[in-house]
Amino acid sequence: NNNGADSGWEAKAVEFFKDHLKEKEARTLVPSLNDVPLHYLKPNSLVKFRCLIQDMFDPEFYMGVYETVDPRLKAKVLRCGKYRDVTECGVDFNSRNTVTAERQTFYCVPVPGENTWVKDISSQARVVPSTSYAPSRQKRSYEEDDDMDDMDTQPQKQRETHGGSQTHSEQHHGNGDCKRQETEAPSNQTASASHLDLNFPLPGEKGPSCLVKVYQDWDGFKLNDVLEVFGILSVNHTTSYSSSSLLDPADSMETAEEQRVHCPPASLVPRLHMLYAKPLPHNNPLLPPTGLEDNSAFLSSTLSEMASVRAELLAYFTHVLLGDALAAEYLILHLISTVYARRDVLPLGKFTLNLSGCPTAASYTERLYQIIQQLVPSSFYLPMSLQNMNQMRLVPKKDYVANRLVSGALQLARNTSLFLDETQLEQGQLDTTGVRNVTALGNLISWQKVDYDFNYHQMEFPCNINVVIASEGRSLLPSDCQIRLQSQVAPAHMDEYLSAVHMHPQASSQLNKFRMYLSVARQLDYSISDEVTKSVEDDFVDMRKDDPQSVSAEDFHRLLVVARLLSLSLGQTSLSTDTWSRAKHLDMLRTSRMEQHKCVNGNEP
Amino acid sequence: STGDLMPMPTSPATDMLSPAAAQDTSLFSSPRNCLHRCAKLDMSSPLMYGTPSSRVEGTPRSSVRGTPARQRADLGSVRKAPQVDLQSEPAGADGAVASESNAGQRLVIWGTDVNVGTCKEKFQRFLQRFIDPTSTEDENAGLDLNEPLYMQKLEEISVVGDPVLNVNCLHVQSFDAELYRQLICYPQEVIPTFDMAVNELFFERFPDSILEYQIQVRPYNALKTRNMRSLNPEDIDQLITISGMVIRTSQLIPEMQEAFFQCHVCAYSTRVEVDRGRIAEPAVCRHCNTTHSLALVHNRSAFSDKQMVKIQESPEDMPAGQTPHTTVVYAHNDLVDKVQPGDRVNITGIYRAVPMRVNPRQSNVKSVYKTHIDAIHFRKTDEKRLHGLDEDAEQKLFTEDRVQTLKELAAKPDVYERLSSALAPSIYEHEDIKKGILLQLFGGTRKDFSQTGRGHFRAEVNILLCGDPGTSKSQLLQYVYNLVPRGQYTSGKGSSAVGLTAYVMKDPETRQLVLQTGALVLSDNGICCIDEFDKMSDNTRSVLHEVMEQQTLSIAKAGIICQLNARTAVLAAANPVESQWNPKKTTIENIQLPHTLLSRFDLIFLMLDPQDEAYDRRLAHHLVSLYYQSEEQMEEEFLDMAVLRDYIAYARTYINPRLSEEASQALIEAYVDMRKIGSGRGMVSAYPRQLESLIRLAEAHAKVRFSEKVETIDVEEAKRLHREALKQSATDPRTGFVDISILTTGMSATARKRKEEVAQALKKLIQSKGKTPAMKYQQLLEDLRGQSETAITRELFDEALRALADEDYLTVTGKTVRLLA
């Protein structure tokens, strides 16, 4: 038990945990909040949580070291208040040894839009928690809460309530024990949980959110960072807000609403006292969690396979995109794009794709999204229907009454695929919210930033979201690259064709190959030699010589991005003249197709 | 008793005391607590300055004792702090006590090193002697700066009768650093001592003045903390000043200060002070000895006002990628309702932390403290924005080092080039445009002639960028918007006049109508970037007329009529009406903006795609390196954005260049030259507006050099830049000459002449046709075309018709032209 205040000891302990967690196996031994239902986890034990920082609360002061007095023995004991929510009884408030310390609270949610395959794969690797797996909750509370058992006077029923609803939301993980729980849980429980808004960025999200207490270097974390947090779980219900408890007039500085948000029931939103957090460059469970540089063996083996996997993926996409190989090329490029740097306001490497000419029949766009969903770790489908645009909250907004950042659909982790379905847009009027939402989407695409609404001012948060827009004509939103889909399938056979495509799910090993390919290609380093630079420059000058209108600076910007992505997609980490001419060729094909279309269909800009 | 009362946690230096209750009636009690205690108090003690009788209203009062002391709720709940004699109890004192050398006075307040007597004496000396001849604070306006400042303020109090003395902590610091340290560390003890000192001094000096209650000292501008983010546990119980924005204010909370009890049996009444939020209800009546007979009488108890104010970090103070912090502030008594949500304020107060109680019945507590600030002084930073410039608020604090770096940079001969190339490095070339924007960022010198009736002169430089789509105009705008602290970015397409100016909105909470300001007002003293200027609706654009010259904005909406300041520089970007810039047309024709608006821009630049090989090569190199250079390489090449930002901020606040004699001469010459150029061809080529532009640009250039004087080189550069911009935007495509009338009247002189000729020819043609009252439009056009040797466009023909219609010679109805008279 961590009594005692020696700070040297404390640092050593944290160091010890860190060292052990660095070892490859140790990581996987820690149970994860993402896939183990909360009530199976032992309180005050080490757990991990893969999450996104959704909100940052105000820093709080706590008793870092305090002294307790045992009334019977009259003995004073120094105790450490770190990594826990509640003090032990008999605190001597006037002790000179009390040390006030500061810590920061982050409100963390599971990675928004994380696809089920990611969850499935990571939970396959999960460990059986060290506690008894049998859901004997009563036992647990007496067994482990020995130092806080005086709080267990709280009615047992209430605990059951929260536990039950938790089970309900977790049951789709297919845990046999859960099923049994489910039947035990009274039926009215889901309602009690749903009135509490857990503030997930995307609608329909599930999973526990968590209050993470950070003890050091909290300035290093940023909003929307994706982390794997290792910390000590605390589900002490005394930290929860309960409306029945008498409010001390001195405490009235917080409104009831604020309390509800900042102190949600611990059984729904557990507290996690962070020992160590690792920023995740990606959330693909198929890749080694650390950066690619550390895994040269893995890297070389994947690199050698890249070209062949790419060919297979291209064939698959061509099939999915109604036999259009060019569009398939661009889709691959889009899926591996990422903002790799910013030059003053200009984000480099973004590659927003506008897939125009999508058939409206047979809910093609939705099916297309389902395919993408199978391949990328996190994604979100946003039908741009008038109703959605006018009603959805895309931009996060600060709620000053509850003092929290109310999330919006654009609060996404890096490299989330955002699929905008413009075929759903119908004629009608956009209201103020609608106009604001469309502007926000436009800003996101052009500058890769979202202006969060702080009521009195706006604050800019940079983001890195892959946006693909499916539309019939040219999209009303800006895009880096527009490609017109040329269907090789006769409209009459469309339904048949589509159902055939989607009825044959790829073998999972094949899918895993694609998944790995896309994530690895995005992580690769890229360079360009002086020689190639020279020839690329010459090329530009030559192109301009023939017809200055043909290539503008903007076109050149795009060409450079295409060349970069094309190289990476082939597993080449530096640009070759071959790839450069191939990129040029691709772009030429694309533009000629656009012009062709313009001639056929005069109105289309 | 300590278990359930839970006093505040303390910073290491101070300490709580709890064995207190015993000796609080003696001389050792702290000054505040002696109110309303029984009469056995030693009235001659310097610590006594409120008496039980002072509560009685109506008696003439003109002394310290006659004036009631008002509870200072802002200093928190009363702490029973006895003084300790250091000599008798050396072990109990803190290590901090050291400097007190005055042998006789070793009495200090428990837990501090404050000796009441010395402290009071020092403060009185400060009040009597402190002089600040260089004071620029507007509060001191009208005071004689060479006389003791605070004595004059006391005099003011005696006249006005507002018993509040605001004391600038910086003054205290410069006068007596030790006193300042004590004030910062032990505000709760020191401020009452200050109160005492002030009141003694005041009533000595103005024995006849009558105040509502005793003077309260309100220190402000404590340098302890500036930023909410840097608050840490060491600041607890100390005096701090932080800045932020008010986001929420609560309703007024009446807080009981003193409870009034009355006995049911004998009607004996007694008062009990509230101690740390608790009332100790007397169990036994002292008069009749009945137990539990005393009842609280609410309307005879004393209450004080309290309000919760939430403030949030100002957006400028925040590191990127984090959310702003908030802090709870309690305002007491007359500070209640001093601030409104949305105000930017500097708050001076005492930082507090209280443990959180989980449940009164449980002995465990959450190991977390709640923190708040007890406000002592509010200062709104944007209060004066409606009247004038609040220099104080704008002043960013620069460290010595920073100023040194900036000055070194300014001393470099090529600083102008350096800065302009540091501007938006990702955008290639367009050197002159960047220079123009740089000068815009610095702005001219503000001149105010309103006293002589000539009004304000605009100091802001307005710039319009026109050009082909895809020439990174938007990117330039985005960059500027990100660079300046008070920048706004709007797009002409999305913004209505309402979004630009101001709109009236019903506040959902208070149901009051509130005026919400739009982008132009928000960017007061900043830059308003307007993209897609050409897409703006006409009535939105009309709003800009006033803003761009008068720098004000008049609103008449929902019964609210007001004029707001909008001293904003406008940086606008416009696309040509046709998809591509037509070099055969004038600027006006290309962007189709009214010339009245165009003439309000100091500089109009064209951003065109130059078509030449050398340029292409450089551009290609620039773009490729943009994509593939490593982050570090880029950093080295260019000045840091932060340095640039500071440089601009420094120059804007501290440098106010004035025209030198030679510079004025040069300007006059330049203007005369400009007028001359045109006069040869019979047209006006410069207007006073152009002269004003030149002056602004020259001043801005002097600011870039950190020079207090505008010299000839500044004028030269202003001339050059102005000429360059004109060359781009006001060249008559028909003649190849620069013609300012394109921008001022919307038409080049040659075009006007041509129109005239065509109209005359048309008139002749019609007259030659004899007496035909009506003619076909198309027929007439063809006839004219056949007759004329130069090509006549339909537009030209229409204009000629319009000119003749203006002469009342004919009218045009549909497709027929009728002669009049």
Side-chain angles (χ1 to χ4, degrees):
Chain A
N1 230 330
N2 36 357
N3 294 340
D6 184 14
S7 56
W9 164 87
E10 210 179 277
K12 263 183 228 153
V14 173
E15 211 41 56
F16 171 84
F17 275 117
K18 258 189 214 170
D19 284 347
H20 277 254
L21 289 171
K22 270 186 195 133
E23 283 166 37
K24 208 183 167 199
E25 296 307 311
R27 259 191 85 252
T28 56
L29 289 177
V30 180
S32 164
L33 262 179
N34 293 87
D35 19 76
V36 181
L38 184 61
H39 55 278
Y40 290 134
L41 290 168
K42 191 171 161 179
N44 302 328
S45 68
L46 186 70
V47 295
K48 66 181 178 193
F49 186 41
R50 187 174 67 247
C51 58
L52 169 117
I53 302 177
Q54 192 270 324
D55 195 3
M56 292 164 154
F57 293 159
D58 294 330
E60 58 187 22
F61 293 171
Y62 68 101
M63 286 177 248
V65 176
Y66 61 96
E67 211 165 25
T68 51
V69 188
D70 193 319
R72 277 165 302 176
L73 302 168
K74 294 277 176 213
K76 287 193 170 185
V77 188
L78 269 188
R79 288 171 189 275
C80 173
K82 239 181 166 184
Y83 307 119
R84 48 180 60 209
D85 289 314
V86 177
T87 59
E88 277 154 72
C89 39
V91 179
D92 176 9
F93 287 100
N94 300 309
S95 163
R96 288 173 157 269
N97 296 318
T98 305
V99 176
T100 311
E102 193 180 4
R103 70 184 173 201
Q104 170 75 281
T105 308
F106 294 154
Y107 186 81
C108 294
V109 295
V111 181
E114 193 173 71
N115 286 319
T116 38
W117 65 267
V118 176
K119 293 190 170 117
D120 290 344
I121 293 175
S122 22
S123 62
Q124 272 159 26
R126 80 155 178 233
V127 276
V128 176
S130 52
T131 18
S132 51
Y133 218 82
S136 53
R137 226 168 289 108
Q138 274 130 316
K139 214 172 164 195
R140 186 214 56 159
S141 54
Y142 288 118
E143 205 173 57
E144 276 108 36
D145 286 3
D146 53 350
D147 50 355
M148 36 191 95
D149 49 3
D150 52 328
M151 268 95 62
D152 275 356
T153 45
Q154 185 104 135
Q156 199 66 46
K157 216 182 210 165
Q158 200 184 325
R159 291 189 149 219
E160 293 279 355
T161 305
H162 294 307
S165 57
Q166 195 63 34
T167 319
H168 189 80
S169 63
E170 297 287 339
Q171 52 131 340
H172 66 275
H173 286 297
N175 190 308
D177 288 329
C178 280
K179 286 247 166 64
R180 197 158 59 86
Q181 273 298 299
E182 239 271 284
T183 50
E184 282 174 14
S187 55
N188 60 344
Q189 249 103 87
T190 23
S192 76
S194 62
H195 78 271
L196 193 92
D197 177 15
L198 289 181
N199 211 1
F200 294 123
L202 300 178
E205 289 268 293
K206 283 179 193 134
S209 51
C210 202
L211 282 171
V212 176
K213 308 274 180 183
V214 189
Y215 288 86
Q216 53 196 357
D217 305 327
W218 50 78
D219 289 341
F221 297 103
K222 291 197 161 125
L223 201 72
N224 302 344
D225 275 358
V226 178
L227 304 173
E228 186 160 56
V229 179
F230 291 89
I232 296 166
L233 181 72
S234 158
V235 284
N236 197 310
H237 61 257
T238 46
T239 55
S240 326
Y241 161 81
S242 60
S243 49
S244 60
S245 80
L246 285 164
L247 281 176
D248 192 298
D251 291 342
S252 63
M253 58 177 102
E254 282 189 347
T255 56
E257 203 145 336
E258 198 171 339
Q259 289 215 357
R260 205 172 305 145
V261 165
H262 287 255
C263 311
S267 49
L268 272 180
V269 183
R271 319 296 194 253
L272 197 56
H273 296 267
M274 183 196 281
L275 284 175
Y276 164 64
K278 195 163 62 66
L280 293 179
H282 62 83
N283 59 335
N284 189 338
L286 296 165
L287 260 59
T290 45
L292 286 175
E293 313 81 60
D294 309 341
N295 278 284
S296 47
F298 173 82
L299 189 61
S300 58
S301 74
T302 13
L303 273 186
S304 60
E305 274 181 31
M306 292 268 288
S308 66
V309 180
R310 185 186 197 277
E312 285 171 50
L313 184 60
L314 186 65
Y316 178 52
F317 275 164
T318 310
H319 189 58
V320 171
L321 293 169
L322 311 172
D324 188 340
L326 187 65
E329 287 269 6
Y330 274 98
L331 186 58
I332 294 180
L333 299 188
H334 163 76
L335 287 177
I336 63 169
S337 69
T338 182
V339 177
Y340 63 93
R342 283 173 194 270
R343 295 272 180 267
D344 43 74
V345 289
L346 190 73
L348 298 181
K350 70 182 176 93
F351 195 65
T352 304
L353 190 66
N354 177 204
L355 212 56
S356 62
C358 289
T360 43
S363 52
Y364 175 71
T365 45
E366 273 166 60
R367 285 167 193 240
L368 184 61
Y369 170 71
Q370 281 159 11
I371 303 274
I372 292 176
Q373 201 180 16
Q374 281 299 311
L375 295 172
V376 297
S378 28
S379 59
F380 178 57
Y381 174 73
L382 177 62
M384 285 178 66
S385 65
L386 211 53
Q387 194 193 358
N388 266 342
M389 294 320 286
N390 281 340
Q391 287 173 3
M392 255 182 104
R393 188 168 51 231
L394 292 186
V395 175
K397 185 179 189 315
K398 180 85 177 184
D399 174 1
Y400 284 114
V401 177
N403 194 15
R404 70 162 167 185
L405 187 66
V406 180
S407 194
L410 293 187
Q411 191 175 21
L412 295 173
R414 52 177 295 163
N415 293 135
T416 305
S417 279
L418 179 62
F419 192 98
L420 299 177
D421 190 351
E422 211 180 280
T423 59
Q424 307 275 335
L425 193 60
E426 62 266 42
Q427 278 192 349
Q429 177 120 33
L430 282 179
D431 59 18
T432 336
T433 332
V435 173
R436 236 176 252 158
N437 279 341
V438 172
T439 320
L441 285 175
N443 274 341
L444 167 72
I445 292 166
S446 315
W447 311 109
Q448 286 287 336
K449 61 162 194 180
V450 180
D451 287 320
Y452 289 17
D453 183 0
F454 279 80
N455 201 354
Y456 303 100
H457 61 101
Q458 295 196 328
M459 230 157 74
E460 191 180 301
F461 285 87
C463 58
N464 186 355
I465 299 172
N466 293 18
V467 187
V468 59
I469 312 160
S471 59
E472 280 176 87
R474 191 181 136 153
S475 167
L476 63 95
L477 295 167
S479 63
D480 295 311
C481 168
Q482 185 201 350
I483 172 110
R484 207 177 156 83
L485 202 59
Q486 264 177 3
S487 167
Q488 311 291 321
V489 182
H493 304 297
M494 188 73 81
D495 279 332
E496 210 176 309
Y497 180 85
L498 285 176
S499 50
V501 169
H502 300 289
M503 280 301 98
H504 294 294
Q506 298 280 320
S508 73
S509 67
Q510 186 74 7
L511 274 179
N512 280 351
K513 252 205 267 178
F514 292 162
R515 290 163 182 167
M516 213 139 78
Y517 166 79
L518 290 175
S519 296
V520 169
R522 181 179 279 157
Q523 308 273 319
L524 291 177
D525 282 330
Y526 177 67
S527 66
I528 180 163
S529 66
D530 290 345
E531 230 170 290
V532 182
T533 311
K534 184 84 186 57
S535 75
V536 165
E537 286 170 24
D538 288 343
D539 224 17
F540 179 68
V541 176
D542 287 345
M543 282 189 284
R544 299 262 298 180
K545 216 186 275 171
D546 304 340
D547 177 10
Q549 298 296 331
S550 65
V551 188
S552 68
E554 210 177 353
D555 295 327
F556 195 59
H557 269 285
R558 187 180 53 242
L559 265 180
L560 287 169
V561 178
V562 171
R564 173 197 156 89
L565 295 173
L566 193 64
S567 296
L568 293 181
S569 77
L570 292 163
Q572 298 163 353
T573 52
S574 70
L575 183 65
S576 65
T577 35
D578 266 3
T579 321
W580 171 250
S581 37
R582 203 169 147 186
K584 260 172 46 186
H585 181 68
L586 270 186
D587 212 55
M588 202 201 58
L589 283 179
R590 188 185 63 87
T591 27
S592 69
R593 185 186 280 189
M594 305 272 300
E595 260 151 38
Q596 215 177 3
H597 183 75
K598 216 185 281 180
C599 297
V600 176
N601 188 351
N603 308 342
E604 174 88 4
Chain B
S1 73
T2 53
D4 44 327
L5 270 183
M6 289 197 258
M8 299 108 217
T10 52
S11 55
T14 56
D15 198 9
M16 255 355 267
L17 51 132
S18 41
Q23 22 153 313
D24 59 322
T25 46
S26 72
L27 200 147
F28 298 116
S29 65
S30 108
R32 282 278 143 218
N33 316 326
C34 342
L35 308 177
H36 328 304
R37 227 151 279 261
C38 30
K40 65 176 179 182
L41 290 174
D42 175 9
M43 294 313 294
S44 64
S45 157
L47 298 177
M48 300 297 113
Y49 62 103
T51 65
S53 66
S54 66
R55 184 166 298 280
V56 186
E57 295 290 321
T59 50
R61 348 162 265 227
S62 59
S63 68
V64 181
R65 274 174 216 126
T67 308
R70 190 163 169 184
Q71 280 251 13
R72 291 204 65 160
D74 49 359
L75 296 180
S77 54
V78 180
R79 269 165 68 172
K80 310 260 186 293
Q83 297 176 60
V84 252
D85 191 334
L86 284 184
Q87 278 157 341
S88 66
E89 198 189 340
D94 280 277
V97 188
S99 54
E100 215 65 45
S101 55
N102 200 339
Q105 297 183 307
R106 301 285 306 215
L107 288 178
V108 296
I109 297 174
W110 174 288
T112 72
D113 60 356
V114 179
N115 176 291
V116 175
T118 325
C119 182
K120 210 167 78 178
E121 212 172 282
K122 275 179 172 178
F123 188 64
Q124 284 182 342
R125 204 159 51 217
F126 164 76
L127 292 175
Q128 283 165 325
R129 302 216 186 130
F130 182 78
I131 298 167
D132 183 11
T134 57
S135 165
T136 51
E137 283 177 82
D138 28 47
E139 281 153 39
N140 301 343
L143 298 183
D144 185 352
L145 294 180
N146 295 316
E147 291 292 308
L149 182 71
Y150 289 98
M151 292 315 285
Q152 296 181 60
K153 290 207 174 174
L154 283 184
E155 205 175 320
E156 209 175 274
I157 292 174
S158 79
V159 175
V160 179
D162 181 20
V164 170
L165 180 69
N166 293 327
V167 175
N168 190 339
C169 291
L170 281 183
H171 293 166
V172 181
Q173 192 184 25
S174 65
F175 188 80
D176 185 340
E178 173 66 15
L179 190 64
Y180 172 76
R181 188 191 60 76
Q182 288 183 336
L183 171 65
I184 296 299
C185 294
Y186 313 110
Q188 190 150 345
E189 289 78 18
V190 173
I191 293 173
T193 319
F194 280 9
D195 280 358
M196 219 174 0
V198 159
N199 283 300
E200 275 179 21
L201 199 66
F202 180 79
F203 287 106
E204 202 174 285
R205 191 140 303 205
F206 310 102
D208 298 331
S209 60
I210 293 172
L211 296 179
E212 200 186 332
Y213 52 90
Q214 292 190 0
I215 298 173
Q216 298 191 343
V217 174
R218 300 225 169 113
Y220 66 95
N221 207 6
L223 267 188
K224 178 77 186 158
T225 310
R226 279 259 149 201
N227 187 338
M228 211 179 288
R229 207 161 273 270
S230 52
L231 284 177
N232 63 43
E234 260 127 61
D235 294 323
I236 293 175
D237 281 337
Q238 307 214 334
L239 190 71
I240 54 166
T241 298
I242 56 168
S243 62
M245 188 168 64
V246 178
I247 50 169
R248 234 154 67 79
T249 54
S250 76
Q251 303 213 307
L252 191 142
I253 308 162
E255 193 179 48
M256 194 181 282
Q257 291 293 334
E258 196 185 54
F260 185 92
F261 286 97
Q262 196 165 39
C263 178
H264 279 313
V265 182
C266 62
Y268 169 82
S269 64
T270 181
R271 293 168 193 273
V272 179
E273 249 182 79
V274 177
D275 184 15
R276 288 172 230 151
R278 307 236 153 173
I279 309 163
E281 189 182 338
V284 186
C285 174
R286 262 194 278 165
H287 189 252
C288 61
N289 280 330
T290 327
T291 51
H292 301 298
S293 64
L294 288 159
L296 183 69
V297 183
H298 275 279
N299 54 5
R300 292 190 66 185
S301 302
F303 291 90
S304 71
D305 294 345
K306 177 172 154 182
Q307 185 182 33
M308 188 201 81
V309 176
K310 264 212 162 156
I311 60 169
Q312 180 184 279
E313 264 178 301
S314 339
E316 299 90 62
D317 292 343
M318 285 181 25
Q322 309 226 335
T323 56
H325 288 176
T326 56
T327 305
V328 174
V329 175
Y330 281 122
H332 303 271
N333 295 329
D334 57 324
L335 290 181
V336 166
D337 273 342
K338 270 279 160 66
V339 291
Q340 296 291 322
D343 287 347
R344 306 259 178 129
V345 287
N346 277 327
I347 291 180
T348 305
I350 305 175
Y351 196 41
R352 308 275 191 195
V354 227
M356 273 208 281
R357 196 189 317 266
V358 173
N359 188 322
R361 288 180 300 275
Q362 283 174 352
S363 53
N364 288 53
V365 285
K366 249 161 121 173
S367 57
V368 178
Y369 299 109
K370 283 199 166 173
T371 53
H372 69 266
I373 296 169
D374 278 320
I376 291 178
H377 186 276
F378 280 124
R379 188 189 171 89
K380 282 193 211 176
T381 51
D382 51 1
E383 200 171 30
K384 288 172 218 75
R385 273 177 61 195
L386 282 179
H387 314 299
L389 267 191
D390 187 2
E391 300 288 348
D392 220 35
E394 298 294 315
Q395 254 170 42
K396 236 177 111 183
L397 279 177
F398 294 102
T399 58
E400 294 280 322
D401 288 357
R402 197 60 162 186
V403 173
Q404 198 54 42
T405 331
L406 296 181
K407 286 201 170 139
E408 270 167 33
L409 188 61
K412 291 198 171 123
D414 60 341
V415 59
Y416 181 51
E417 279 72 25
R418 266 168 194 265
L419 292 180
S420 70
S421 64
L423 206 69
S426 68
I427 296 161
Y428 185 59
E429 287 210 332
H430 297 301
E431 287 305 320
D432 282 334
I433 298 179
K434 286 190 187 173
K435 281 179 180 167
I437 291 177
L438 187 71
L439 295 188
Q440 180 182 37
L441 289 169
F442 283 88
T445 311
R446 215 174 280 278
K447 306 168 201 72
D448 190 353
F449 296 116
S450 48
Q451 274 166 352
T452 54
R454 281 186 291 164
H456 288 273
F457 273 49
R458 168 159 69 96
E460 282 74 16
V461 177
N462 295 325
I463 294 182
L464 176 69
L465 308 173
C466 351
D468 291 337
T471 42
S472 46
K473 293 191 296 291
S474 312
Q475 209 182 315
L476 207 51
L477 259 56
Q478 273 283 337
Y479 181 87
V480 171
Y481 157 64
N482 278 294
L483 183 72
V484 293
R486 208 172 268 168
Q488 288 290 321
Y489 184 95
T490 63
S491 168
K493 218 199 285 182
S495 65
S496 57
V498 164
L500 273 179
T501 56
Y503 50 97
V504 178
M505 194 182 101
K506 198 171 239 168
D507 189 292
E509 261 176 66
T510 60
R511 308 202 141 268
Q512 279 174 346
L513 286 178
V514 284
L515 194 67
Q516 294 277 342
T517 44
L520 284 170
V521 181
L522 286 175
S523 56
D524 188 26
N525 281 324
I527 291 187
C528 187
C529 303
I530 308 176
D531 206 352
E532 311 203 50
F533 198 66
D534 50 311
K535 307 270 191 319
M536 220 175 242
S537 72
D538 285 342
N539 69 27
T540 311
R541 239 184 257 143
S542 67
V543 169
L544 286 165
H545 281 109
E546 186 189 350
V547 172
M548 289 177 64
E549 205 56 61
Q550 275 73 42
Q551 307 269 284
T552 53
L553 196 74
S554 309
I555 296 163
K557 276 198 183 94
I560 298 177
I561 298 170
C562 60
Q563 197 172 47
L564 299 168
N565 272 328
R567 288 154 302 186
T568 167
V570 175
L571 175 62
N575 286 324
V577 179
E578 297 161 40
S579 60
Q580 205 87 37
W581 187 271
N582 187 344
K584 295 196 182 62
K585 288 183 170 177
T586 62
T587 310
I588 295 267
E589 287 161 340
N590 261 312
I591 53 177
Q592 302 263 308
L593 283 174
H595 57 85
T596 44
L597 199 53
L598 281 192
S599 65
R600 284 172 160 82
F601 284 101
D602 296 87
L603 297 171
I604 299 177
F605 286 110
L606 291 192
M607 276 183 104
L608 295 183
D609 211 357
Q611 283 148 14
D612 96 83
E613 196 180 318
Y615 172 84
D616 289 349
R617 183 165 295 279
R618 290 196 307 271
L619 175 66
H621 184 75
H622 175 81
L623 291 182
V624 176
S625 63
L626 183 70
Y627 273 80
Y628 303 119
Q629 243 173 28
S630 67
E631 204 90 39
E632 301 85 62
Q633 275 171 299
M634 294 298 283
E635 298 275 306
E636 279 167 27
E637 263 178 68
F638 300 106
L639 265 175
D640 199 5
M641 199 157 152
V643 176
L644 182 62
R645 195 179 284 143
D646 281 0
Y647 193 94
I648 293 170
Y650 185 86
R652 281 182 75 102
T653 23
Y654 295 106
I655 316 283
N656 290 303
R658 301 182 67 89
L659 290 178
S660 67
E661 191 51 44
E662 306 90 77
S664 337
Q665 280 306 322
L667 279 168
I668 293 168
E669 268 167 44
Y671 182 60
V672 171
D673 282 349
M674 280 165 75
R675 298 273 297 190
K676 255 189 219 150
I677 295 171
S679 64
R681 296 195 303 277
M683 52 197 188
V684 183
S685 57
Y687 292 90
R689 245 189 200 147
Q690 271 74 45
L691 179 60
E692 280 176 33
S693 293
L694 277 184
I695 296 173
R696 275 192 287 271
L697 292 171
E699 283 167 347
H701 189 261
K703 270 194 194 175
V704 175
R705 297 185 299 118
F706 277 13
S707 159
E708 285 291 350
K709 237 161 109 190
V710 181
E711 285 168 58
T712 334
I713 47 163
D714 302 317
V715 179
E716 286 304 315
E717 174 57 22
K719 251 165 73 183
R720 190 195 68 79
L721 206 59
H722 195 257
R723 204 172 47 231
E724 280 306 310
L726 274 186
K727 220 190 269 172
Q728 292 179 10
S729 58
T731 303
D732 186 343
R734 291 179 192 85
T735 60
F737 288 116
V738 172
D739 183 354
I740 188 75
S741 51
I742 290 176
L743 299 179
T744 50
T745 64
M747 205 183 247
S748 70
T750 34
R752 210 166 35 229
K753 222 159 121 199
R754 179 108 184 89
K755 190 180 91 179
E756 206 74 356
E757 283 166 11
V758 173
Q760 287 313 315
L762 184 65
K763 197 170 178 181
K764 254 187 216 146
L765 177 78
I766 294 171
Q767 277 165 351
S768 70
K769 290 205 170 186
K771 297 240 179 289
T772 36
M775 284 155 287
K776 285 236 163 60
Y777 174 91
Q778 199 60 36
Q779 182 65 41
L780 206 55
L781 175 59
E782 271 157 33
D783 286 353
L784 190 65
R785 273 183 179 162
Q787 190 191 48
S788 166
E789 56 263 35
T790 50
I792 289 177
T793 59
R794 183 178 286 266
E795 291 89 52
L796 201 57
F797 178 67
D798 284 341
E799 277 187 31
L801 277 180
R802 222 173 295 136
L804 291 179
D806 286 346
E807 289 174 23
D808 283 338
Y809 183 68
L810 48 76
T811 60
V812 184
T813 38
K815 289 277 168 223
T816 45
V817 178
R818 276 172 219 285
L819 285 186
L820 292 172

